[in-house]
Amino acid sequence: MEGIEKICRFLDEAQVYYLATVEGDQPRVRPFGTALVYHGRLYIQTGKIKAVSRQISANPKVELCAFKDGQWLRLAGELVNDDDRNVKEAMLEKIPSLKAMYRADDDNTQVLYFKNAAATFCSFTEAPETIRF
């Protein structure tokens, strides 16, 4: 679990990461800022009405990249939808600004966790470190 905590801490400190999905044969990349460790899983959040949600549903394999202080993180894996109200509430509590757009009980809030994932921390000065979960 400490590896997942390290990944989440890096994403939190970077504040913005870029999530890549696929739509047909076209890559799609957009900024995200949500990350949460809940019951040993790394979660992100989006809205079900967004194109990114449809893209993940069609192909759950994604990759994200974040950069801070000369180090970057690449995380590749599959996203799994989780409709548990408790994890939605935990995400909204961690990031209160989301409450302006989302509620744990609405039909739009979507939380997804990574499985079959590999996260690699890289820099120009240190050997890469990979965490699999």
Side-chain angles (χ1 to χ4, degrees):
M1 169 114 137
E2 77 180 41
I4 291 175
E5 293 284 351
K6 179 178 180 177
I7 294 162
C8 190
R9 189 169 43 255
F10 188 94
L11 294 174
D12 287 345
E13 291 172 3
Q15 297 182 343
V16 175
Y17 59 88
Y18 296 88
L19 182 75
T21 59
V22 176
E23 186 173 49
D25 66 350
Q26 179 65 48
R28 302 289 183 193
V29 180
R30 81 283 294 149
F32 265 67
T34 57
L36 171 74
V37 175
Y38 189 83
H39 292 303
R41 292 176 170 163
L42 178 63
Y43 283 86
I44 66 169
Q45 184 274 335
T46 191
K48 291 179 182 177
I49 63 170
K50 294 182 177 182
V52 67
S53 177
R54 292 187 298 279
Q55 293 157 9
I56 293 166
S57 178
N59 181 353
K61 292 180 180 179
V62 301
E63 189 162 330
L64 67 77
C65 186
F67 183 86
K68 78 171 187 71
D69 300 330
Q71 186 178 40
W72 61 95
L73 168 68
R74 291 181 60 199
L75 170 56
E78 298 172 50
L79 285 174
V80 178
N81 186 64
D82 190 340
D83 284 324
D84 183 345
R85 183 189 189 286
N86 293 323
V87 70
K88 291 177 184 181
E89 190 63 41
M91 182 69 78
L92 295 171
E93 288 303 313
K94 180 180 178 187
I95 309 170
S97 61
L98 292 174
K99 293 178 182 180
M101 300 172 283
Y102 301 101
R103 291 187 334 272
D105 294 324
D106 66 21
D107 290 330
N108 184 37
T109 301
Q110 183 175 32
V111 290
L112 307 111
Y113 65 87
F114 279 91
K115 75 172 191 176
N116 301 325
T120 303
F121 291 91
C122 300
S123 77
F124 291 118
T125 59
E126 297 176 24
E129 174 192 0
T130 300
I131 299 167
R132 297 183 188 283
F133 60 100

